Amino acid sequence: MIAIYPGSFDPITLGHLDIIERGSRLFEQVIVAVLCNPSKQPLFSVEKRLEQIQISTAHLANIRVDSFSGLTVEYAKLRQATVLLRGLRVLSDFEKELQMAHTNQTLWSGIETVFLATTKEYSFLSSSIVKEIAKFGGPIDHLVPQNVATDICLYYS
Ligand code: PNS
């Protein structure tokens, strides 16, 4: 079974990586799919984010990294993926995630959303939190892969 793990990944965090590693043990292939969203102002370009994810997941054999635009379910069909993988950190994630899962179900009945409970130590972690800490010069090495920490340090230096 092929799973898509869609997201903004601006940038990828250790919480994302945890979901990718655990997903890679559950599915034949996991496609980490970066959404190109022209209405958002990202910190890193799509190309940079793809590179960051590629480096961070190089130790995993069944991971593919790609970008897409438009509807996630249309991209899933294109890749013959039948699972959407998402992480759930805290209760407040649930409302948005359930709405997304239900929306995707109405768009294509061939898709199943599978939620993995985020590992406890990353339950507070998000890309926005990382950017917030980095902006004020705080430590982020324990929150993102090493290559991403280097990129962020370069950005804010
Ligand atoms: O990392 P994020 O920003 O929480 O990821 C959100 C994402 C990319 C999974 C979601 O916004 C998405 O699937 N966008 C693509 C447009 C789409 O398919 N919308 C319908 C489902 S709500």
Side-chain angles (χ1 to χ4, degrees):
M1 214 179 270
I2 301 175
I4 303 270
Y5 182 38
S8 308
F9 304 105
D10 184 40
I12 184 173
T13 68
L14 291 182
H16 293 129
L17 191 56
D18 169 60
I19 298 292
I20 296 169
E21 284 171 348
R22 289 162 58 208
S24 78
R25 294 197 287 270
L26 294 174
F27 302 103
E28 222 172 291
Q29 186 182 48
V30 175
I31 304 175
V32 184
V34 178
L35 176 69
C36 304
N37 189 350
S39 62
K40 269 196 184 177
Q41 268 294 345
L43 181 62
F44 294 110
S45 68
V46 169
E47 293 70 27
K48 189 67 190 172
R49 281 179 269 163
L50 291 174
E51 181 201 293
Q52 289 169 340
I53 300 166
Q54 239 136 21
I55 294 172
S56 313
T57 59
H59 60 294
L60 301 167
N62 57 340
I63 301 296
R64 176 173 175 174
V65 184
D66 197 8
S67 61
F68 74 104
S69 51
L71 291 175
T72 299
V73 291
E74 292 305 325
Y75 177 72
K77 282 182 202 170
L78 180 77
R79 294 281 175 243
Q80 295 180 321
T82 51
V83 170
L84 285 186
L85 182 61
R86 295 286 289 172
L88 276 181
R89 291 167 299 190
V90 286
L91 195 58
S92 53
D93 279 347
F94 186 71
E95 208 171 332
K96 180 187 156 219
E97 291 297 332
L98 192 65
Q99 186 186 30
M100 261 199 307
H102 284 157
T103 305
N104 285 325
Q105 235 169 38
T106 67
L107 295 173
W108 182 37
S109 60
I111 201 81
E112 287 291 353
T113 302
V114 171
F115 296 110
L116 290 186
T118 301
T119 298
K120 270 205 307 282
E121 61 183 299
Y122 300 131
S123 62
F124 69 97
L125 183 54
S126 69
S127 302
S128 309
I129 288 280
V130 170
K131 286 181 277 193
E132 172 91 357
I133 297 170
K135 192 166 74 180
F136 296 111
I140 51 158
D141 290 307
H142 59 306
L143 305 178
V144 291
Q146 193 48 57
N147 59 305
V148 175
T150 306
D151 288 343
I152 294 177
C153 285
L154 282 173
Y155 182 86
Y156 286 109
S157 63

